[in-house]
């Protein structure tokens, strides 16, 4: 099943998005709701909170007095960490239980207010962040919920910043407008991205790429690369020696195909094969036909250039995952080439010109790649000379 993380700052309208996703057919697991359930009267969670913070956090009817607890927690990092250690494991366990009841072809949306703060983004196929201007959020909370303005500002300050949320967000939904606008945005996300993404993961396939198309450099490529690296690193576990953003989109200022290329370094291709199912489940199905790179003059033996290749199943973000054994020539070259282009302005401009000339002449990626080989034949020696001159090491 497809796992989606949904988050956003207080007052941003995350609940509106969650409701619409549920209407469309998603299984929504609401962490706030679970967090209330695990501290209801008679639960171990509530008993542990009373032990930790005192009986004055209880209301007269024996339920949790949330304002009293909040007064002890907000602004006190030690108390907040203590409370989280009580509540979060229980919420996590219950969320896992509810997720397990979703259909195998389902889309599970985990509504988690502190997803970014707790570093949970890599655990999801996709992270959706709902946002709105701070002053608008203030207005919503002080009017519709009757919250105190000082309390609202303290809560907002205690949550992740916009920059931190953007770092985690695969999808950014601006909820500053009318409710109809955000519902329409959710509908488009559901039909254009989430449904085909789920189908691709389930069927172990990836979206078609079409012919090569060169686009202007996008500053977001680096951030997108970091998100994918975090997911692959988590999925691969201790078999991942390192994961790097490689290829043209790893070179700032270089026009390229809008594809993020990653390299997962492993001890051996045996480890790569052992990860095939795990990576497929994480949204990177295997491309069985791509098992070796084109040999370079530094090592012409084709056997030394073997690899494994996966591709992202996400129709909203094309990405390739190349898995190579540490120390192999293909592994080294994948790291050398973008490092050289980042350092050599002339080489970068040259390569961009080659790409722009070749792309319109082909309707498939392999032919486009072959057309660039003559340039690579002479560029490889230059990259090696640069590496030796500056003492570059992978």
């Amino acid at each position: 099943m497809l796992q989606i993380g949904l988050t956003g700052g207080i007052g941003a309208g995350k609940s509106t998005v969650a409701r619409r996703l549920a209407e469309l057919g998603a299984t929504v697991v609401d962490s706030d709701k679970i967090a209330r359930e695990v501290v209801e009267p008679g639960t171990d969670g509530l008993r542990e909170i009373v032990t930790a913070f005192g009986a004055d956090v209880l209301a007269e009817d024996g339920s949790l007095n949330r304002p009293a607890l909040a007064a002890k927690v907000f602004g006190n990092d030690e108390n907040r960490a203590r409370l989280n250690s009580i509540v979060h494991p229980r919420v996590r366990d219950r969320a896992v239980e509810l997720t397990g009841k979703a259909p195998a072809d389902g889309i599970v949306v985990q509504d988690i207010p502190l997803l970014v703060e707790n570093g949970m983004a890599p655990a999801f196929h996709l992270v959706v962040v709902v946002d709105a201007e701070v002053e608008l959020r203030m207005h919503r909370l002080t009017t519709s919920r009757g919250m105190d303005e000082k309390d609202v500002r303290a809560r907002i300050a205690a949550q992740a910043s916009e920059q931190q949320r953007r770092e985690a967000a695969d999808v950014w939904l601006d909820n500053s407008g009318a409710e109809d606008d955000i519902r329409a945005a959710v509908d488009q996300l559901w039909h254009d991205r989430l449904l085909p993404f789920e189908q691709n993961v389930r069927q172990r396939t990836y979206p078609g790429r079409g012919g090569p198309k060169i686009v202007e450099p996008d500053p977001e490529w680096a951030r997108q690369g970091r998100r994918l690296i975090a997911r692959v690193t988590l999925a691969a576990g201790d078999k991942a020696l390192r994961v790097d953003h490689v290829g043209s989109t790893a070179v700032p200022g270089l026009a390229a195909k809008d594809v993020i290329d990653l390299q997962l370094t492993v001890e051996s291709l045996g480890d790569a094969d052992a990860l095939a199912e795990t990576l497929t489940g994480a949204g990177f199905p295997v491309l069985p036909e791509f098992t070796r790179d084109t040999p370079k003059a530094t090592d012409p033996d084709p056997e030394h250039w073997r690899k494994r290749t996966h591709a992202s199943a996400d129709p909203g973000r094309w990405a390739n995952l190349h898995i190579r054994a540490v120390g192999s020539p293909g592994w080294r070259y994948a790291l050398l080439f973008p490092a050289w282009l980042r350092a050599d302005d002339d080489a970068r401009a040259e390569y961009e010109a080659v790409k722009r000339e070749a792309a319109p002449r082909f309707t498939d990626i392999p032919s486009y790649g072959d057309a660039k080989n003559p340039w690579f034949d002479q560029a490889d020696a230059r990259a090696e000379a640069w590496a030796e001159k500056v003492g570059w090491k992978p």
Side-chain angles (χ1 to χ4, degrees), residues 37-338:
E37 291 175 355
V38 299
V39 294
E40 288 179 346
T43 62
D44 290 340
L46 183 58
R47 281 191 287 272
E48 194 169 338
I49 285 176
V50 172
T51 300
F53 296 101
D56 57 339
V57 299
L58 290 178
E60 290 184 3
D61 63 358
S63 65
L64 181 64
N65 185 331
R66 294 182 182 277
L69 179 61
K72 295 190 176 191
V73 170
F74 280 105
N76 186 314
D77 291 342
E78 182 179 347
N79 282 352
R80 184 165 62 247
R82 195 175 185 185
L83 176 62
N84 289 343
S85 71
I86 296 170
V87 176
H88 288 177
R90 291 174 167 84
V91 172
R92 181 194 60 226
D93 292 346
R94 178 59 174 156
V96 169
E97 180 184 348
L98 293 172
T99 298
K101 296 178 180 179
D105 62 348
I107 296 175
V108 176
V109 176
Q110 295 208 35
D111 182 343
I112 307 175
L114 299 181
L115 182 150
V116 175
E117 291 85 342
N118 292 324
M120 301 170 68
F124 298 96
H125 290 100
L126 208 67
V127 169
V128 178
V129 173
V130 186
D131 188 62
E133 298 269 347
V134 170
E135 292 307 314
L136 176 57
R137 292 159 58 192
M138 288 286 304
H139 176 74
R140 288 171 177 168
L141 294 167
T142 55
T143 55
S144 65
R145 295 196 201 175
M147 295 177 65
D148 177 73
E149 180 177 339
K150 184 178 179 181
D151 181 37
V152 171
R153 291 197 183 278
R155 288 171 181 263
I156 290 175
Q159 292 184 335
S161 66
E162 178 181 333
Q163 177 64 25
Q164 289 170 320
R165 289 198 181 97
R166 286 194 180 275
E167 188 72 17
D170 300 288
V171 178
W172 187 267
L173 294 178
D174 185 350
N175 189 25
S176 299
E179 184 171 331
D180 285 348
D181 294 337
I182 193 66
R183 286 171 65 89
V186 173
D187 288 359
Q188 182 176 6
L189 171 65
W190 178 263
H191 293 291
D192 293 353
R193 193 166 184 178
L194 300 189
L195 285 179
F197 195 174
E198 185 282 322
Q199 181 175 320
N200 288 340
V201 170
R202 179 164 36 88
Q203 297 181 351
R204 302 165 176 260
T205 189
Y206 62 98
R209 304 289 176 82
K213 180 182 178 182
I214 305 302
V215 300
E216 295 303 314
D218 185 349
E220 282 295 306
W221 283 338
R223 184 147 50 189
Q224 291 165 353
R226 288 193 292 271
R227 287 197 290 270
L228 294 173
I229 285 171
R231 288 191 177 107
V232 170
T233 300
L234 180 63
D238 59 7
K239 286 186 169 59
L241 302 184
R242 60 189 280 186
V243 185
D244 296 274
H245 185 182
V246 297
S248 294
T249 56
V251 182
L254 177 63
K257 301 192 307 298
D258 187 17
V259 179
I260 304 295
D261 281 284
L262 304 179
Q263 175 169 267
L264 167 58
T265 302
V266 293
E267 283 287 353
S268 68
L269 291 185
D271 281 351
D273 292 335
L275 286 171
E277 287 299 310
T278 299
L279 292 172
T280 296
F284 290 88
V286 179
L287 274 64
E289 65 272 28
F290 295 99
T291 58
R292 65 180 75 235
D293 296 303
T294 302
K296 309 297 181 186
T298 52
D299 187 340
D301 187 344
E303 281 301 301
H304 294 167
W305 293 81
R306 293 186 302 129
K307 66 173 181 177
R308 299 293 183 264
T309 309
H310 294 239
S312 172
D314 179 5
R317 167 33 60 210
W318 288 350
N320 297 322
L321 176 61
H322 311 269
I323 311 180
R324 299 181 176 100
V326 62
S328 65
W331 169 82
R332 179 181 178 278
Y333 190 78
L335 298 170
L336 167 62
F337 185 65

